[in-house]
């Protein structure tokens, strides 16, 4: 799935800690699923095929507001 097919719910390229669109963000897919972009975490070992990512609380709050939840 290409990034241009996602709806970005958080952040802007000009926002804090954003360089070349590589900052933590939350996206919605065309099917309504949520994708999270963040830093890989090693808090515990995720099951095969999964990874843990860390995102700032402010990013999650912004996504919730954008979704109107």
């Amino acid at each position: 799935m290409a990034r241009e097919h996602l709806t970005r719910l958080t952040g802007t390229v000009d926002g804090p800690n954003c360089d070349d669109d590589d900052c933590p963000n939350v996206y919605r897919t065309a099917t309504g699923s949520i994708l999270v972009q963040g830093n890989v975490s090693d808090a515990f070992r995720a099951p095969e095929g999964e990874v843990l990512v860390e995102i700032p609380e402010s990013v999650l709050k912004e996504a919730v507001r954008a979704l109107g939840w």
Side-chain angles (χ1 to χ4, degrees):
M1 174 180 315
R3 188 180 290 194
E4 58 266 12
H5 298 295
L6 303 172
T7 301
R8 188 172 175 171
L9 300 174
T10 59
T12 63
V13 174
D14 298 328
N17 303 317
C18 255
D19 185 30
D20 294 329
D21 209 21
D22 64 353
C23 54
N25 278 296
V26 178
Y27 301 87
R28 186 191 314 196
T29 68
T31 61
S33 295
I34 302 296
L35 295 178
V36 177
Q37 174 186 352
N39 297 320
V40 175
S41 172
D42 60 0
F44 66 88
R45 177 174 279 184
E48 181 75 26
E50 296 181 6
V51 297
L52 301 174
V53 298
E54 289 187 41
I55 60 169
E57 183 178 320
S58 60
V59 172
L60 187 55
K61 287 180 177 178
E62 184 179 351
V64 168
R65 282 193 299 272
L67 290 166
W69 293 351

